[in-house]
Amino acid sequence: MSARLRTHTDQPLALALSGGGDSMALLHLAADWARANGRRLLALTVDHGLNPDSPDWTAVAERAAHAAGADWRGLPWTGPKPATGLPAAARTARHRLIAEAAREAGARVVLFGHTATDIAEGELMRDRGSTLGRLREWSPSPAWPEGRGLMLLRPMLDAGREDVRQWLAGQGATWLDDPGNDDPRFARSRARQALTLLPMGEGGPEGRMRVDWMSGEAAPGQSPLTLSRKDDRFAPVRSSPLPMGEGSIRIDRLVDAPTLAAALVCAGGGDRLPRGDRLATILARLHSSEAFTATLCGTRVEASGEHVLVTRESGEFLRRPRPPLALSPGVETVWDGRWAITVGSFGWSVAPAAGRMASLSDADRAVLRALPPAARGSLPVLIRNDATAPVLAGTAGRATSLVEERLALALDRMTHERDLGGTIHGALPRNHLFSEADH
């Protein structure tokens, strides 16, 4: 039984299938595991449209998925492609499309066929100045908000690429080789070619095909937004204990850089890590016991005594005002990357409380007074088209903070598929604002 996955459940297990050797090997392994453990397997193939042969490659992936007994969906990347930064844009699009399709199908975990060789290539790229994140066995989807609540599982990180292909060939299977992987214009291709010139020593890309392929062992390396569950550096972090789920985070002054970065990104609702020099500056001030207020990644950091509050910077809404976001009845809408909001009737839009707090009811203002002053203006309010007074989101619908669960996933407090969408290890459950009744 897997150390990460549920067995005998109707929820499908998703798999990213490109048709290359790594993903084809993972398809065979995952299909065998799914059959033995009562799971449906859904293979997802992204057609980037960057090569005239890509429709044929997609068809190969579809046939392989069906032959393995898996369901399959093709996901085209449409629209204009950037003239520069194409690999990064393609990677972002791939994660977004896969996350959307996995969530739509009801999956909570997506399998990726990365290997130890990918780790080695990534290390070489970082040595040459790349800001590429590190691969881990178990990590949140990097697509936000499309990948909210979705985890990625990479069960082959202790196997080298050549070992995977040798195993696959031994199964009598075939795979595709994308010529773009050898294009020297791209940093990944240059790193791949450079590795072929290096000796195969300890820590290199060689590996052994895992027999217990989902053993749950920690993989080498870690993403800037994740921490190993065997490392208790996440201990100083906790969600705010305030009852209304305002989406703020309280941290200890002795927080380390990866944890602080995760707190900033999650509280700010964005998807970009802070610049290293700016993060280091705030970290040094925290460790000096200085009382201060600073802003970074769209968040406000308030340090006083032993307490540090990280919350959305509400002043940003006033400096860069945006029009209210219209809501569709019965459709969950993510607002500001921090709140999932659903209403039951037409005519509602969502906007920040900043600049509108004086128009709220006495009851709503009483709720705000119970929160830290810095957190009040960043809460969502609902506005009707008939220009009636705004109300706190949740008073006229359902508003769920995404910050607490996102931080828990980033800090590896949800270590098994059964945890996803449930109780967070060492933290509060997901927070809601008020009732689900729609006025």
Side-chain angles (χ1 to χ4, degrees):
M1 176 178 175
S2 166
R4 299 285 191 187
L5 300 176
R6 297 173 63 193
T7 61
H8 302 285
T9 175
D10 289 337
Q11 262 185 330
L13 179 63
L15 182 148
L17 180 66
S18 67
D22 299 340
S23 68
M24 286 292 210
L26 183 57
L27 172 66
H28 284 263
L29 291 166
D32 289 343
W33 185 91
R35 280 191 294 270
N37 290 276
R39 293 294 298 267
R40 290 187 296 122
L41 188 64
L42 172 62
L44 301 172
T45 300
V46 176
D47 181 352
H48 293 93
L50 300 176
N51 188 294
D53 292 329
S54 63
D56 295 332
W57 299 345
T58 299
V60 169
E62 179 181 11
R63 289 194 296 270
H66 290 155
D71 297 329
W72 179 86
R73 275 195 63 189
L75 309 171
W77 182 28
T78 58
K81 309 297 189 293
T84 60
L86 184 59
R91 183 169 57 251
T92 297
R94 178 167 62 253
H95 278 291
R96 175 180 57 81
L97 290 166
I98 288 174
E100 289 175 339
R103 282 178 52 85
E104 182 181 344
R108 301 304 297 270
V109 176
V110 183
L111 304 178
F112 275 78
H114 295 107
T115 68
T117 309
D118 291 296
I119 293 176
E121 291 170 357
E123 292 295 342
L124 187 58
M125 292 167 67
R126 279 184 291 278
D127 287 344
R128 296 177 175 181
S130 172
T131 58
L132 189 71
R134 290 181 168 89
L135 297 176
R136 289 191 62 242
E137 179 194 63
W138 182 250
S139 61
S141 167
W144 188 261
E146 297 89 352
R148 58 192 184 278
L150 193 67
M151 295 296 286
L152 310 185
L153 178 59
R154 302 177 177 94
M156 301 197 305
L157 287 183
D158 65 350
R161 183 173 296 136
E162 289 307 313
D163 299 287
V164 169
R165 280 160 173 72
Q166 289 175 17
W167 179 89
L168 190 58
Q171 308 300 306
T174 59
W175 61 90
L176 299 168
D177 284 313
D178 184 351
N181 291 333
D182 299 321
D183 191 331
R185 292 178 300 170
F186 304 135
R188 171 71 68 175
S189 300
R190 294 194 298 272
R192 182 168 299 185
Q193 293 166 6
L195 278 181
T196 64
L197 304 177
L198 297 178
M200 299 289 284
E202 182 178 352
E206 77 279 10
R208 175 177 57 84
M209 175 60 72
R210 181 184 300 174
V211 176
D212 182 12
W213 70 286
M214 289 183 175
S215 68
E217 299 170 5
Q222 60 184 27
S223 163
L225 276 181
T226 59
L227 295 175
S228 168
R229 65 189 177 94
K230 295 180 180 179
D231 186 336
D232 62 2
R233 286 180 293 172
F234 63 73
V237 178
R238 61 186 175 90
S239 296
S240 169
L242 294 170
M244 300 314 297
E246 83 288 0
S248 299
I249 300 167
R250 295 189 188 277
I251 59 177
D252 187 273
R253 276 188 177 270
L254 299 180
V255 64
D256 64 8
T259 307
L260 177 59
L264 291 169
V265 172
C266 295
D271 59 1
R272 293 190 178 184
L273 291 166
R275 279 174 36 190
D277 55 343
R278 300 191 65 189
L279 182 69
T281 298
I282 289 185
L283 198 65
R285 298 180 73 182
L286 288 176
H287 291 176
S288 71
S289 301
E290 173 190 357
F292 69 94
T293 298
T295 58
L296 184 60
C297 284
T299 65
R300 179 183 179 91
V301 180
E302 290 189 353
S304 177
E306 295 302 315
H307 302 291
V308 181
L309 177 70
V310 181
T311 191
R312 181 73 165 96
E313 170 52 41
S314 59
E316 189 173 292
F317 295 115
L318 300 176
R319 291 190 295 271
R320 301 182 183 88
R322 291 173 289 178
L325 177 64
L327 302 173
S328 299
V331 177
E332 182 181 88
T333 299
V334 176
W335 176 77
D336 196 41
R338 301 179 300 120
W339 290 88
I341 299 174
T342 308
V343 295
S345 61
F346 287 98
W348 291 103
S349 298
V350 59
R356 299 175 174 85
M357 288 186 280
S359 301
L360 296 173
S361 68
D362 291 342
D364 282 354
R365 288 200 299 272
V367 171
L368 292 181
R369 285 195 295 270
L371 303 179
R376 297 170 186 171
S378 64
L379 261 66
V381 299
L382 298 183
I383 304 171
R384 286 200 69 93
N385 294 346
D386 59 12
T388 55
V391 297
L392 279 179
T395 302
R398 182 179 179 87
T400 303
S401 169
L402 301 175
V403 174
E404 290 78 13
E405 182 183 56
R406 188 183 186 190
L407 183 64
L409 293 175
L411 300 183
D412 221 2
R413 292 184 181 176
M414 292 182 168
T415 59
H416 195 281
E417 185 181 10
R418 62 173 171 267
D419 300 330
L420 303 179
T423 301
I424 302 168
H425 299 334
L428 294 175
R430 294 179 69 185
N431 290 310
H432 304 280
L433 280 179
F434 304 129
S435 69
E436 300 179 38
D438 189 31
H439 288 191

